[in-house]
Amino acid sequence: MGKSSGVGREVNELTTPDQWLHEPFAANAAYFVDSDCVEYVNEDTISVYKRIDGFLTLIYDETQIRVIGFKLKGFRYFFEKMKAHLGLNNNSFIKVAALIEEICRDIGDELLTDDARQRAYQAARKIAEKEAVELYDLPQAA
Amino acid sequence: MRAKLTGARITVSARTAIRLRLWVTLRWRRASHVGSPGTGNGARRFTLRNIIYIWLSLRQTGPGRNTAMSSSETVVIHPALRGRIAWIDLPLVKVPDPAGHGTLLTAKISDETIHRLYRANRKTGLWQAWGHLAGELPPIPNISIIRGTVPKGGLSGLDLAVACFKGLNRPHRNESDGQSVITYILNPTHTIAMHSSMVCVARVAPAPSNTVLAVYMRPQDALHPPLDGISGIITGWEFIPADADAVSLPEDFSERYGEELWRR
């Protein structure tokens, strides 16, 4: 899986329907406004969402063994709280690995005492880091 | 920003022209960089329709930002796509009354979610919305080929929801605990997924083992502004692990949601 910069790899607004149908999937992080979450998957397949806590869900493929992405829930709240520390790049995108690190810092000691939860955050961060996941669709001010 | 449409020409203010040029340049560079499909190595068609679209995008989101889809209020769909892409034009759907009166209410599948999936080229999510929420196979070329592979009732449907919960016990938009969000639980045996094929890009497959399908809805009274004739907006759908004991319900269902409204 290549790098996922987001910009330019989304469906172009001039892409025709037929092109879209046969266009290969390219991984992008996206902020879903109505469900207030950021999702990233590196494969377009049947997936299973396993809740880790109130903020993180890991996304597995249909075998439920391989992690193919993650979902950051209640994103607007965290974004507003942390945007000063995230080093917004030209006010337009954030590196998701840095975001997950900030969330881990925010959770603090709770994470240190819960191995499974800690491993889940590490897995999400690893994907975000390895696949250079960036988020361009940032929540707008309420 | 001021712009005036006069016949086949658009007159814009100097400031708007600069913003327009900047935005077009950025988009052009991106397109050239990634070699956008169907645009001949980044070459763009500057038709009147496209310029109007660019102007609309600028007016709502500003230049250089990739946020044309960033909220349901600012969705800008290219006019060429309207009515042309049947598979992102989902119908209204029927959902069981959360109050448990046994009646069916009308809900809308979030345009914003659908268009996000479309923009991200996530076909599986779109096909699942058709199969599990709209109760139809996606209207894509050659879908009739897989029609015979769908077991009767295998995709379930919102009207066959087995349980309904309220509240998410976590922040959601402006709510600290997502108390307004309704979750329907479905038990499909099959689902629809993307399939790399020149003939039909969908396939029917067994649902992941030991899972249930959760469908999330923001009810009418939580919407600002409320929508006439709609009881809620369906914002998401996903397979989640089933409870080890109550296999038709989600794992940890008693702690996961605010309250259980009903189950069948």
Side-chain angles (χ1 to χ4, degrees), chain B residues 25-102:
Chain B
T25 305
L26 286 170
R27 300 292 293 194
W28 189 302
R29 282 182 184 164
R30 281 178 200 160
S32 303
H33 181 63
V34 300
S36 297
T39 53
N41 241 353
R44 311 300 290 260
R45 289 175 294 149
F46 281 86
T47 61
L48 175 63
R49 186 177 59 192
N50 292 339
I51 291 171
I52 291 172
Y53 168 72
I54 289 166
W55 175 70
L56 283 172
S57 302
L58 267 173
R59 194 179 63 166
Q60 299 194 38
T61 62
R65 293 187 63 188
N66 188 26
T67 54
M69 305 292 295
S70 59
S71 86
S72 46
E73 292 79 29
T74 58
V75 167
V76 177
I77 305 167
H78 188 274
L81 302 185
R82 284 190 194 281
R84 278 185 55 196
I85 308 182
W87 50 91
I88 59 170
D89 193 13
L90 280 103
L92 296 177
V93 297
K94 293 291 181 191
V95 295
D97 186 350
H101 299 311

Coordinates of all heavy atoms in Angstrom, one line a residue, chain B residues 25-102:
Chain B
T25 N -5.0 26.6 -10.2 CA -3.6 26.2 -10.3 C -3.2 25.1 -9.4 O -2.6 24.1 -9.8 CB -2.6 27.4 -10.0 OG1 -3.0 28.5 -10.8 CG2 -1.2 27.1 -10.3
L26 N -3.7 25.2 -8.2 CA -3.5 24.1 -7.2 C -4.1 22.8 -7.7 O -3.5 21.8 -7.6 CB -4.0 24.5 -5.8 CG -3.2 25.6 -5.1 CD1 -4.0 26.0 -3.9 CD2 -1.9 25.0 -4.6
R27 N -5.3 22.9 -8.1 CA -6.0 21.7 -8.6 C -5.3 21.1 -9.8 O -5.1 19.9 -9.9 CB -7.5 22.0 -8.9 CG -8.3 22.5 -7.7 CD -8.5 21.5 -6.7 NE -9.3 20.4 -7.1 CZ -9.9 19.5 -6.3 NH1 -9.7 19.6 -5.0 NH2 -10.6 18.6 -6.7
W28 N -4.8 22.0 -10.7 CA -4.2 21.5 -11.9 C -2.9 20.8 -11.5 O -2.6 19.8 -12.0 CB -3.9 22.8 -12.7 CG -3.4 22.4 -14.1 CD1 -2.3 21.7 -14.5 CD2 -4.0 22.8 -15.4 NE1 -2.2 21.6 -15.8 CE2 -3.2 22.3 -16.4 CE3 -5.1 23.5 -15.7 CZ2 -3.5 22.5 -17.7 CZ3 -5.4 23.7 -17.0 CH2 -4.6 23.2 -18.0
R29 N -2.1 21.4 -10.6 CA -0.9 20.8 -10.2 C -1.1 19.4 -9.6 O -0.4 18.5 -9.8 CB -0.1 21.7 -9.2 CG 0.5 22.8 -9.9 CD 1.3 23.6 -9.0 NE 1.9 24.8 -9.7 CZ 2.4 25.8 -9.1 NH1 2.3 25.9 -7.8 NH2 2.9 26.8 -9.8
R30 N -2.1 19.3 -8.7 CA -2.4 18.1 -8.1 C -2.8 17.0 -9.2 O -2.3 15.9 -9.2 CB -3.6 18.2 -7.1 CG -3.2 18.8 -5.8 CD -4.5 18.9 -5.0 NE -4.3 19.8 -3.9 CZ -5.3 20.4 -3.3 NH1 -6.5 20.1 -3.6 NH2 -5.1 21.2 -2.3
A31 N -3.6 17.5 -10.1 CA -4.1 16.5 -11.1 C -2.9 16.1 -12.0 O -2.7 14.9 -12.3 CB -5.1 17.2 -12.0
S32 N -2.0 17.0 -12.3 CA -0.8 16.7 -13.1 C 0.1 15.7 -12.3 O 0.6 14.8 -12.9 CB 0.0 18.0 -13.4 OG -0.9 18.9 -14.1
H33 N 0.2 16.0 -11.0 CA 1.0 15.2 -10.2 C 0.6 13.7 -10.1 O 1.4 12.8 -10.2 CB 1.1 15.8 -8.8 CG 2.0 15.0 -7.9 ND1 3.3 14.9 -8.1 CD2 1.7 14.3 -6.7 CE1 3.9 14.2 -7.1 NE2 2.9 13.8 -6.3
V34 N -0.7 13.5 -9.9 CA -1.1 12.2 -9.7 C -1.7 11.6 -11.0 O -1.9 10.4 -11.1 CB -2.3 12.1 -8.7 CG1 -1.7 12.5 -7.3 CG2 -3.5 12.8 -9.1
G35 N -1.8 12.4 -12.1 CA -2.3 11.9 -13.3 C -3.7 11.4 -13.2 O -4.0 10.2 -13.3
S36 N -4.6 12.4 -13.0 CA -6.0 12.0 -12.8 C -6.6 11.2 -13.9 O -6.3 11.5 -15.1 CB -6.8 13.3 -12.7 OG -6.3 14.0 -11.5
P37 N -7.4 10.2 -13.6 CA -7.9 9.3 -14.6 C -8.8 10.1 -15.5 O -9.6 10.9 -15.1 CB -8.7 8.3 -13.8 CG -8.9 8.9 -12.5 CD -7.8 9.8 -12.2
G38 N -8.6 9.8 -16.8 CA -9.6 10.3 -17.7 C -9.4 11.7 -18.1 O -10.1 12.3 -18.9
T39 N -8.3 12.4 -17.6 CA -8.1 13.8 -17.9 C -6.8 14.0 -18.7 O -6.3 15.1 -18.7 CB -8.1 14.6 -16.6 OG1 -7.1 14.0 -15.7 CG2 -9.4 14.6 -15.9
G40 N -6.3 12.9 -19.2 CA -5.2 13.1 -20.1 C -4.0 13.7 -19.5 O -3.6 14.8 -19.8
N41 N -3.4 13.0 -18.5 CA -2.2 13.5 -17.8 C -2.5 14.9 -17.1 O -1.6 15.8 -17.2 CB -1.1 13.6 -18.8 CG 0.1 12.8 -18.4 OD1 0.0 12.2 -17.3 ND2 1.1 12.6 -19.2
G42 N -3.6 15.0 -16.6 CA -3.8 16.3 -15.8 C -4.5 17.4 -16.7 O -4.8 18.4 -16.1
A43 N -4.6 17.2 -17.9 CA -5.3 18.2 -18.7 C -6.7 18.3 -18.3 O -7.4 17.3 -18.1 CB -5.2 17.9 -20.2
R44 N -7.2 19.5 -18.1 CA -8.6 19.7 -17.5 C -9.5 20.4 -18.6 O -9.0 21.2 -19.4 CB -8.6 20.6 -16.3 CG -7.6 20.2 -15.3 CD -7.8 18.8 -14.8 NE -9.1 18.7 -14.0 CZ -9.0 18.7 -12.7 NH1 -7.9 18.6 -12.0 NH2 -10.2 18.7 -12.0
R45 N -10.7 20.1 -18.5 CA -11.7 20.7 -19.5 C -12.3 22.0 -18.8 O -12.9 21.9 -17.8 CB -12.8 19.7 -19.8 CG -12.3 18.6 -20.7 CD -13.3 17.6 -20.9 NE -13.6 16.9 -19.6 CZ -14.8 16.4 -19.3 NH1 -15.8 16.6 -20.2 NH2 -15.1 15.8 -18.2
F46 N -12.0 23.1 -19.4 CA -12.5 24.3 -18.8 C -13.8 24.7 -19.5 O -13.9 25.7 -20.2 CB -11.5 25.4 -18.9 CG -10.5 25.3 -17.8 CD1 -9.4 24.5 -18.0 CD2 -10.7 25.9 -16.6 CE1 -8.5 24.3 -17.0 CE2 -9.8 25.7 -15.5 CZ -8.7 24.9 -15.7
T47 N -14.8 23.9 -19.3 CA -16.1 24.2 -19.8 C -16.8 25.2 -18.9 O -16.4 25.4 -17.7 CB -17.0 23.0 -19.9 OG1 -17.1 22.4 -18.6 CG2 -16.3 21.9 -20.8
L48 N -17.8 25.9 -19.4 CA -18.6 26.8 -18.5 C -19.1 26.1 -17.3 O -19.0 26.6 -16.1 CB -19.8 27.4 -19.3 CG -20.7 28.3 -18.5 CD1 -20.0 29.5 -18.0 CD2 -21.9 28.7 -19.4
R49 N -19.5 24.8 -17.4 CA -20.1 24.1 -16.3 C -19.0 23.8 -15.2 O -19.3 24.0 -14.1 CB -20.6 22.7 -16.9 CG -21.3 21.9 -15.8 CD -21.8 20.6 -16.4 NE -20.7 19.8 -17.0 CZ -20.9 18.8 -17.8 NH1 -22.1 18.4 -18.2 NH2 -19.8 18.1 -18.3
N50 N -17.8 23.5 -15.7 CA -16.7 23.3 -14.7 C -16.3 24.5 -14.0 O -16.1 24.5 -12.8 CB -15.5 22.7 -15.4 CG -15.8 21.3 -15.9 OD1 -16.7 20.6 -15.4 ND2 -15.1 20.8 -16.9
I51 N -16.3 25.7 -14.7 CA -16.0 26.9 -14.1 C -17.0 27.3 -13.1 O -16.7 27.8 -12.0 CB -15.8 28.0 -15.2 CG1 -14.6 27.7 -16.0 CG2 -15.7 29.4 -14.5 CD1 -14.4 28.5 -17.2
I52 N -18.3 27.1 -13.4 CA -19.4 27.4 -12.4 C -19.2 26.5 -11.2 O -19.3 27.0 -10.0 CB -20.8 27.1 -13.0 CG1 -21.0 28.2 -14.1 CG2 -21.8 27.2 -12.0 CD1 -22.3 27.9 -14.9
Y53 N -18.8 25.3 -11.4 CA -18.6 24.4 -10.3 C -17.5 24.9 -9.4 O -17.6 24.9 -8.2 CB -18.3 23.0 -10.8 CG -17.8 22.1 -9.7 CD1 -18.7 21.6 -8.7 CD2 -16.5 21.7 -9.6 CE1 -18.2 20.8 -7.7 CE2 -16.0 20.9 -8.6 CZ -16.9 20.5 -7.6 OH -16.4 19.7 -6.6
I54 N -16.4 25.3 -10.0 CA -15.2 25.8 -9.3 C -15.7 27.0 -8.5 O -15.3 27.1 -7.3 CB -14.1 26.1 -10.3 CG1 -13.5 24.8 -10.8 CG2 -13.0 26.9 -9.6 CD1 -12.6 25.0 -12.0
W55 N -16.4 27.9 -9.1 CA -16.9 29.1 -8.4 C -17.7 28.7 -7.2 O -17.6 29.3 -6.1 CB -17.6 30.0 -9.4 CG -18.2 31.2 -8.7 CD1 -17.5 32.2 -8.2 CD2 -19.6 31.4 -8.4 NE1 -18.4 33.1 -7.6 CE2 -19.6 32.6 -7.8 CE3 -20.7 30.7 -8.7 CZ2 -20.8 33.2 -7.3 CZ3 -21.9 31.3 -8.3 CH2 -22.0 32.5 -7.6
L56 N -18.6 27.8 -7.4 CA -19.5 27.3 -6.3 C -18.6 26.8 -5.2 O -18.9 27.1 -4.0 CB -20.5 26.3 -6.8 CG -21.7 26.8 -7.6 CD1 -22.5 25.6 -8.1 CD2 -22.6 27.7 -6.7
S57 N -17.6 26.0 -5.5 CA -16.8 25.4 -4.5 C -16.0 26.5 -3.7 O -15.9 26.4 -2.5 CB -15.8 24.4 -5.1 OG -16.4 23.4 -5.8
L58 N -15.5 27.4 -4.5 CA -14.8 28.6 -3.9 C -15.7 29.3 -2.9 O -15.3 29.6 -1.8 CB -14.4 29.5 -5.0 CG -13.0 29.4 -5.6 CD1 -12.8 30.3 -6.8 CD2 -11.9 29.6 -4.5
R59 N -16.9 29.6 -3.4 CA -17.8 30.4 -2.6 C -18.1 29.7 -1.2 O -18.2 30.3 -0.2 CB -19.1 30.6 -3.3 CG -20.0 31.7 -2.7 CD -21.2 31.8 -3.5 NE -22.0 30.6 -3.5 CZ -23.3 30.6 -3.9 NH1 -23.9 31.7 -4.3 NH2 -24.0 29.5 -3.8
Q60 N -18.1 28.4 -1.3 CA -18.5 27.7 0.0 C -17.3 27.2 0.8 O -17.4 27.0 2.0 CB -19.4 26.5 -0.4 CG -20.6 26.9 -1.1 CD -21.7 25.9 -1.1 OE1 -21.8 25.1 -0.2 NE2 -22.4 25.8 -2.2
T61 N -16.2 27.0 0.2 CA -15.1 26.4 1.0 C -13.8 27.2 0.9 O -12.9 26.9 1.7 CB -14.8 25.0 0.5 OG1 -14.3 25.0 -0.9 CG2 -16.0 24.1 0.6
G62 N -13.6 28.0 0.0 CA -12.4 28.8 -0.1 C -11.3 28.1 -0.9 O -11.4 26.9 -1.1
P63 N -10.4 28.8 -1.5 CA -9.4 28.2 -2.4 C -8.4 27.3 -1.6 O -8.1 27.6 -0.5 CB -8.7 29.5 -2.9 CG -8.8 30.5 -1.9 CD -10.1 30.3 -1.2
G64 N -7.9 26.4 -2.3 CA -6.8 25.5 -1.8 C -7.2 24.5 -0.8 O -6.4 23.9 -0.2
R65 N -8.5 24.5 -0.5 CA -8.9 23.5 0.6 C -9.7 22.4 0.0 O -10.5 22.6 -0.9 CB -9.8 24.3 1.6 CG -9.0 25.3 2.4 CD -9.8 25.9 3.5 NE -10.2 24.8 4.5 CZ -11.1 25.0 5.4 NH1 -11.6 26.2 5.6 NH2 -11.4 24.1 6.3
N66 N -9.5 21.3 0.5 CA -10.1 20.1 0.0 C -11.3 19.7 0.9 O -11.4 18.6 1.4 CB -9.0 18.9 0.0 CG -9.6 17.7 -0.7 OD1 -10.4 17.9 -1.6 ND2 -9.0 16.6 -0.4
T67 N -12.1 20.7 1.1 CA -13.2 20.5 2.0 C -14.6 20.6 1.4 O -15.5 21.0 2.1 CB -13.1 21.5 3.2 OG1 -13.0 22.8 2.6 CG2 -11.9 21.2 4.0
A68 N -14.7 20.4 0.1 CA -16.0 20.6 -0.5 C -17.0 19.7 0.1 O -18.2 19.9 0.0 CB -15.9 20.3 -2.0
M69 N -16.6 18.6 0.8 CA -17.5 17.7 1.4 C -17.5 17.7 2.9 O -17.9 16.7 3.5 CB -17.1 16.2 0.9 CG -17.0 16.1 -0.6 SD -18.6 16.3 -1.4 CE -19.4 14.8 -0.7
S70 N -17.0 18.8 3.4 CA -16.7 18.7 4.9 C -17.9 18.8 5.8 O -17.8 18.7 7.0 CB -15.6 19.7 5.3 OG -16.1 20.9 4.9
S71 N -19.0 19.2 5.3 CA -20.2 19.1 6.1 C -21.4 19.0 5.3 O -21.4 19.3 4.1 CB -20.3 20.4 7.0 OG -21.0 21.4 6.3
S72 N -22.5 18.5 5.9 CA -23.7 18.2 5.1 C -24.2 19.5 4.5 O -25.0 19.5 3.6 CB -24.7 17.5 5.9 OG -24.8 18.1 7.1
E73 N -23.9 20.7 5.1 CA -24.4 21.9 4.6 C -23.6 22.4 3.4 O -24.0 23.3 2.7 CB -24.3 23.0 5.7 CG -25.3 22.8 6.9 CD -24.8 21.7 7.9 OE1 -23.5 21.6 8.0 OE2 -25.6 21.0 8.5
T74 N -22.4 21.9 3.2 CA -21.5 22.5 2.2 C -21.2 21.5 1.1 O -20.2 21.6 0.4 CB -20.2 23.0 2.8 OG1 -19.6 22.0 3.4 CG2 -20.5 24.2 3.7
V75 N -22.0 20.5 1.0 CA -21.8 19.5 -0.1 C -22.0 20.2 -1.4 O -23.0 20.8 -1.7 CB -22.7 18.3 0.0 CG1 -22.7 17.4 -1.2 CG2 -22.4 17.5 1.2
V76 N -20.9 20.1 -2.3 CA -21.0 20.6 -3.6 C -20.8 19.4 -4.6 O -19.8 18.7 -4.6 CB -20.0 21.6 -3.9 CG1 -20.1 22.1 -5.4 CG2 -20.1 22.8 -3.0
I77 N -21.9 19.1 -5.3 CA -21.8 17.9 -6.2 C -21.6 18.5 -7.6 O -22.4 19.4 -8.0 CB -23.0 17.1 -6.1 CG1 -23.2 16.6 -4.7 CG2 -22.9 15.9 -7.1 CD1 -24.6 16.0 -4.5
H78 N -20.6 18.0 -8.3 CA -20.5 18.5 -9.7 C -21.8 18.3 -10.4 O -22.3 17.2 -10.4 CB -19.3 17.7 -10.3 CG -18.9 18.3 -11.7 ND1 -19.6 17.9 -12.8 CD2 -18.0 19.2 -12.0 CE1 -19.0 18.6 -13.8 NE2 -18.1 19.4 -13.3
P79 N -22.2 19.3 -11.2 CA -23.5 19.2 -11.8 C -23.6 18.1 -12.8 O -24.7 17.5 -13.0 CB -23.7 20.5 -12.6 CG -22.5 21.4 -12.3 CD -21.6 20.7 -11.3
A80 N -22.4 17.7 -13.4 CA -22.4 16.6 -14.3 C -22.8 15.3 -13.7 O -23.2 14.3 -14.3 CB -21.0 16.5 -15.0
L81 N -22.6 15.2 -12.3 CA -22.8 14.0 -11.6 C -24.3 13.8 -11.2 O -24.8 12.7 -11.0 CB -22.0 13.9 -10.4 CG -20.5 14.0 -10.6 CD1 -19.7 13.7 -9.3 CD2 -20.0 13.0 -11.6
R82 N -25.0 14.9 -11.1 CA -26.4 14.9 -10.6 C -27.2 14.0 -11.6 O -27.3 14.3 -12.8 CB -26.9 16.3 -10.6 CG -26.5 17.1 -9.4 CD -27.2 18.4 -9.2 NE -26.6 19.3 -8.3 CZ -26.7 19.2 -7.0 NH1 -27.4 18.2 -6.5 NH2 -26.0 20.0 -6.2
G83 N -27.9 13.1 -11.0 CA -28.8 12.3 -11.8 C -28.1 11.3 -12.7 O -28.7 10.5 -13.3
R84 N -26.8 11.4 -12.7 CA -26.0 10.5 -13.6 C -25.5 9.2 -12.9 O -25.2 8.2 -13.5 CB -24.9 11.2 -14.3 CG -25.3 12.0 -15.5 CD -24.1 12.6 -16.1 NE -23.1 11.6 -16.5 CZ -21.8 11.9 -16.8 NH1 -21.4 13.1 -16.8 NH2 -21.0 10.9 -17.2
I85 N -25.3 9.4 -11.6 CA -24.7 8.3 -10.9 C -25.8 7.7 -10.0 O -26.0 8.1 -8.9 CB -23.5 8.7 -10.0 CG1 -22.5 9.5 -10.9 CG2 -22.8 7.5 -9.4 CD1 -21.3 9.9 -10.2
A86 N -26.4 6.7 -10.5 CA -27.6 6.1 -9.8 C -27.1 5.5 -8.5 O -27.9 5.5 -7.5 CB -28.2 5.0 -10.7
W87 N -25.9 5.0 -8.4 CA -25.5 4.3 -7.1 C -25.2 5.2 -6.0 O -24.9 4.7 -4.9 CB -24.4 3.3 -7.4 CG -23.2 3.8 -8.1 CD1 -22.1 4.4 -7.6 CD2 -23.0 3.8 -9.6 NE1 -21.2 4.7 -8.6 CE2 -21.8 4.4 -9.8 CE3 -23.8 3.4 -10.6 CZ2 -21.2 4.5 -11.1 CZ3 -23.3 3.5 -11.9 CH2 -22.0 4.1 -12.1
I88 N -25.1 6.5 -6.2 CA -25.0 7.4 -5.0 C -26.3 8.1 -4.7 O -26.4 9.0 -3.9 CB -23.8 8.4 -5.1 CG1 -24.0 9.3 -6.3 CG2 -22.5 7.7 -5.2 CD1 -23.0 10.5 -6.3
D89 N -27.3 7.7 -5.4 CA -28.6 8.4 -5.2 C -29.6 7.4 -4.5 O -30.5 6.8 -5.1 CB -29.2 8.7 -6.6 CG -30.3 9.7 -6.6 OD1 -30.6 10.2 -5.5 OD2 -31.0 9.8 -7.6
L90 N -29.3 7.2 -3.2 CA -30.1 6.2 -2.4 C -31.5 6.7 -2.1 O -31.7 7.9 -1.8 CB -29.3 5.8 -1.2 CG -28.2 4.8 -1.5 CD1 -26.9 5.5 -1.5 CD2 -28.2 3.7 -0.5
P91 N -32.4 5.8 -2.1 CA -33.8 6.3 -1.7 C -34.0 6.5 -0.2 O -33.1 6.1 0.6 CB -34.6 5.0 -2.2 CG -33.7 3.9 -2.0 CD -32.3 4.4 -2.3
L92 N -35.1 7.1 0.1 CA -35.5 7.1 1.6 C -35.7 5.7 2.0 O -36.1 4.9 1.2 CB -36.7 8.0 1.8 CG -36.6 9.5 1.4 CD1 -37.9 10.2 1.6 CD2 -35.5 10.2 2.2
V93 N -35.5 5.5 3.3 CA -35.7 4.1 3.8 C -36.7 4.1 5.0 O -36.9 5.1 5.6 CB -34.3 3.5 4.2 CG1 -33.4 3.4 3.1 CG2 -33.7 4.3 5.4
K94 N -37.2 2.9 5.2 CA -38.1 2.7 6.4 C -37.3 2.1 7.6 O -36.6 1.2 7.4 CB -39.2 1.8 6.0 CG -40.1 2.3 4.9 CD -41.0 3.5 5.4 CE -41.9 4.0 4.4 NZ -42.5 5.3 4.8
V95 N -37.5 2.8 8.7 CA -36.9 2.3 9.9 C -38.0 2.0 11.0 O -39.0 2.7 11.1 CB -35.8 3.3 10.5 CG1 -34.7 3.4 9.5 CG2 -36.5 4.6 10.8
P96 N -37.7 1.0 11.9 CA -38.7 0.8 12.9 C -38.7 2.0 13.9 O -37.7 2.6 14.1 CB -38.2 -0.5 13.6 CG -37.2 -1.1 12.7 CD -36.7 0.0 11.9
D97 N -39.9 2.3 14.4 CA -40.0 3.4 15.4 C -39.2 3.0 16.6 O -39.4 2.0 17.3 CB -41.5 3.5 15.8 CG -41.8 4.7 16.6 OD1 -40.8 5.3 17.1 OD2 -43.0 5.0 16.9
P98 N -38.2 3.9 17.0 CA -37.4 3.7 18.2 C -38.3 3.5 19.4 O -37.9 2.9 20.4 CB -36.5 4.9 18.3 CG -36.5 5.4 16.9 CD -37.8 5.1 16.3
A99 N -39.5 4.2 19.4 CA -40.4 4.1 20.6 C -41.0 2.7 20.7 O -41.7 2.4 21.8 CB -41.5 5.2 20.5
G100 N -40.8 1.9 19.7 CA -41.3 0.5 19.9 C -42.8 0.3 19.6 O -43.4 -0.7 20.1
H101 N -43.4 1.2 18.8 CA -44.8 1.1 18.5 C -45.1 0.1 17.4 O -46.3 -0.1 17.0 CB -45.4 2.4 18.2 CG -45.3 3.4 19.3 ND1 -45.6 3.1 20.6 CD2 -44.8 4.7 19.4 CE1 -45.4 4.2 21.4 NE2 -44.9 5.1 20.7
G102 N -44.1 -0.4 16.8 CA -44.3 -1.4 15.7 C -44.5 -0.7 14.4 O -44.7 -1.4 13.4

